[in-house]
Amino acid sequence: MTTMAYIGEEQKKRDFQMMLACSTHLGTKNLDFQMNRYVWKRKADGIHIINLGKSYEKLLLAARIIVGIEHPADVCVVSARPYGQRSILKYAQYTGATPIAGRYTPGMFTNQITKKFMEPRLLIITDPLTDHQPIAEAAYMNIPVIAFCDTDSPCKHVDVAIPANNKGKQSIGLMYWMLAREVLRLRSTISRSTEWEVMVDLFFYRDPEEVEREEKEATALREAATDAAAAPIQQWDEAAMATAMPALGAEQWVDTNAAQAGADWNAPAPVPAAEATDSWDAPAVVAAQPAPGGWDAPAPMPNPASGGW
């Protein structure tokens, strides 16, 4: 534990909690004889438990070796498995390494005729089982190899084995995130007193279908926000309302009957409605009949009084 003397207790506590949360300590049911030294215990179901203290020590050792390379581009990171491709791309982005994501073309380290020929000074492997071809070529070219090894991983031609769960996407992303953070701290790019602003979630593998679904949801939300912003908002102007509408109590009541009669001079005058009375003996009121003609027509004869003098 001497290599962790310069790391604070709180920092180590947080790192171990993250490793436990990402299941970095869970191995497999198979155990390679060279990985026996890194196994702490075996569960009842046969799963081997990795000693996280040794994993942390080997991670810091690997970071020191990486910092010793003069040019960061001479460090090559390889991952043929999909779970580690996003992690190595992010690691290469922040540390300046050269990533090889996806299928490894045989002969990239040994055949100088190939277009992708390269001569790295250090090789970082995600899974020794899947990435066996670059490990074999690195052994031919005397290239040191750092590998994340599970309990069933072969350690042949591996110089620095970092015991960790290399089957889970969270575990792979966390280990590459911690390795990149330690490399940047040793290069004095970031300070140890402050947290790294890069979230560990950026190193995790993401399902393409999940990413597409999230993009569709984000697009729908943006379109809804754009439509809501484009809709006109009616603004009530108090001054305009006071000008357009008269004050309360100043309304002018207009007689609709007079207005209609004033439009046509020849139209007959409106007949007033008879007032209702409470007595049945009262005579009925006969409404005056309009003149049949115009101004030259004779006046109508008055009706004789029915009640006499």
Side-chain angles (χ1 to χ4, degrees):
M1 302 294 287
T2 56
T3 57
M4 294 190 291
Y6 55 91
I7 301 178
E9 292 296 331
E10 289 295 328
Q11 181 65 55
K12 287 190 289 186
K13 183 179 179 180
R14 288 194 298 268
D15 291 343
F16 281 113
Q17 287 178 351
M18 294 174 64
M19 294 169 73
L20 290 172
C22 293
S23 302
T24 307
H25 63 292
L26 297 181
T28 61
K29 293 184 178 181
N30 299 327
L31 178 62
D32 189 86
F33 72 97
Q34 289 182 314
M35 292 296 297
N36 192 19
R37 69 185 78 174
Y38 303 114
V39 174
W40 175 65
K41 193 176 290 186
R42 186 177 184 180
K43 295 171 62 177
D45 56 357
I47 301 297
H48 293 86
I49 305 298
I50 299 174
N51 191 338
L52 292 182
K54 295 183 178 180
S55 299
Y56 203 71
E57 288 182 354
K58 298 300 285 290
L59 185 73
L60 300 180
L61 175 62
R64 290 183 175 185
I65 296 173
I66 294 171
V67 173
I69 304 299
E70 183 178 0
H71 300 288
D74 290 338
V75 179
C76 185
V77 193
V78 182
S79 176
R81 297 181 58 200
Y83 281 2
Q85 293 178 9
R86 180 181 174 89
S87 302
I88 68 169
L89 291 175
K90 290 294 182 180
Y91 174 84
Q93 175 185 352
Y94 292 109
T95 61
T98 302
I100 301 179
R103 182 181 181 274
Y104 174 82
T105 304
M108 290 181 65
F109 298 157
T110 56
N111 191 357
Q112 299 182 4
I113 302 177
T114 58
K115 296 181 180 179
K116 297 182 180 180
F117 176 75
M118 61 178 63
E119 292 179 307
R121 294 188 58 189
L122 181 64
L123 190 63
I124 302 177
I125 299 297
T126 304
D127 187 4
L129 280 175
T130 309
D131 305 320
H132 60 88
Q133 183 64 28
I135 292 178
E137 294 186 9
Y140 287 131
M141 303 304 295
N142 294 328
I143 300 174
V145 176
I146 299 174
F148 293 101
C149 298
D150 210 333
T151 56
D152 60 345
S153 299
C155 296
K156 186 178 181 180
H157 302 309
V158 175
D159 298 286
V160 178
I162 304 175
N165 177 13
N166 58 12
K167 304 294 191 300
K169 53 185 178 181
Q170 287 86 5
S171 177
I172 296 175
L174 176 64
M175 296 305 289
Y176 271 108
W177 179 80
M178 294 176 63
L179 183 62
R181 183 190 62 179
E182 187 63 26
V183 168
L184 294 178
R185 284 178 175 178
L186 291 175
R187 290 176 180 172
S188 299
T189 305
I190 60 177
S191 175
R192 291 189 180 274
S193 59
T194 59
E195 289 291 335
W196 193 22
E197 67 274 5
V198 178
M199 300 295 294
V200 68
D201 300 353
L202 296 177
F203 284 70
F204 290 167
Y205 168 80
R206 299 185 64 188
D207 189 6
E209 295 181 357
E210 180 182 356
V211 174
E212 184 178 357
R213 183 171 60 255
E214 291 180 358
E215 290 179 354
K216 288 182 179 179
E217 293 177 358
T219 304
L221 291 176
R222 285 196 300 268
E223 291 178 355
T226 304
D227 295 342
I233 301 176
Q234 187 176 5
Q235 300 290 342
W236 295 96
D237 191 356
E238 295 181 358
M241 291 175 60
T243 305
M245 298 180 62
L248 184 62
E251 296 87 356
Q252 297 181 2
W253 297 94
V254 180
D255 191 358
T256 56
N257 295 329
Q260 294 175 0
D264 188 5
W265 290 97
N266 295 327
V271 180
E275 295 182 359
T277 58
D278 297 334
S279 178
W280 292 93
D281 300 330
V285 179
V286 180
Q289 299 295 329
W295 293 97
D296 299 331
M301 295 299 292
N303 294 329
S306 58
W309 294 104

